[in-house]
């Protein structure tokens, strides 16, 4: 299952105990779809294993990488962390709009 985010905004999020990190917030509609698919995957692949993150392959610009989406407790949307090395390679920074393709990795295991 593939999702396309044409205008994803890189945003900084900081915790008092951790350094600031840059994320893309996945909008509510797409987050709901991802959650539904992930819940189904968990039941079919490993119902006893609780997993709140979602394994994905992400394409940002010319770069493909495997990572995970994490739920945000405040907004109930998923967050896509964008590591510093990725931002440096792509010359992107907080506040930039990027195009992102997200593939759910485990989805293909159950087909």
């Amino acid at each position: 299952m593939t999702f396309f985010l044409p205008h994803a905004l890189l945003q900084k999020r900081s915790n008092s105990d951790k350094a600031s990190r840059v994320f893309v917030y996945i909008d509510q509609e797409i987050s709901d779809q991802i959650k539904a698919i992930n819940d189904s995957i968990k039941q079919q692949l490993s119902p006893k294993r609780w997993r709140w993150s979602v394994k994905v392959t992400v394409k940002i610009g010319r770069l493909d990488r495997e990572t995970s989406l994490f739920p945000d407790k405040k907004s109930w949307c998923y967050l896509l962390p964008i590591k510093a090395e990725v931002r440096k390679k792509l010359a992107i920074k907080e506040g930039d709009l990027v195009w992102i393709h997200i593939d759910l990795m485990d989805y293909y295991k159950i087909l």
Side-chain angles (χ1 to χ4, degrees):
M1 177 66 69
T2 300
F3 297 93
F4 177 60
L5 307 172
H7 304 290
L9 176 65
L10 272 64
Q11 299 180 45
K12 196 171 273 189
R13 180 174 179 221
S14 59
N15 295 340
S16 57
D17 60 336
K18 295 182 180 178
S20 294
R21 298 185 180 174
V22 176
F23 293 89
V24 169
Y25 281 81
I26 309 300
D27 70 49
Q28 189 66 56
E29 183 178 331
I30 293 175
S31 289
D32 290 345
Q33 291 176 41
I34 291 171
K35 183 180 183 327
I37 293 167
N38 193 49
D39 288 348
S40 175
I41 290 168
K42 285 191 294 188
Q43 289 301 315
Q44 294 181 40
L45 291 180
S46 181
K48 293 182 181 179
R49 183 173 164 222
W50 180 71
R51 189 170 84 202
W52 55 276
S53 65
V54 180
K55 291 183 180 181
V56 295
T57 301
V58 176
K59 181 173 179 72
I60 306 173
R62 65 186 183 279
L63 190 65
D64 290 312
R65 68 185 194 99
E66 292 181 5
T67 188
S68 294
L69 302 178
F70 299 94
D72 178 42
K73 294 176 185 174
K74 295 177 186 175
S75 68
W76 295 102
C77 292
Y78 280 104
L79 300 173
L80 170 65
I82 310 294
K83 293 183 177 183
E85 72 176 70
V86 171
R87 296 192 312 268
K88 186 176 179 179
K89 283 181 183 178
L90 296 173
I92 57 176
K93 62 187 180 313
E94 177 193 2
D96 286 351
L97 294 175
V98 294
W99 291 50
I100 298 175
H101 288 265
I102 298 173
D103 283 315
L104 302 183
M105 292 169 54
D106 287 339
Y107 176 78
Y108 299 104
K109 291 179 185 176
I110 63 171
L111 293 179

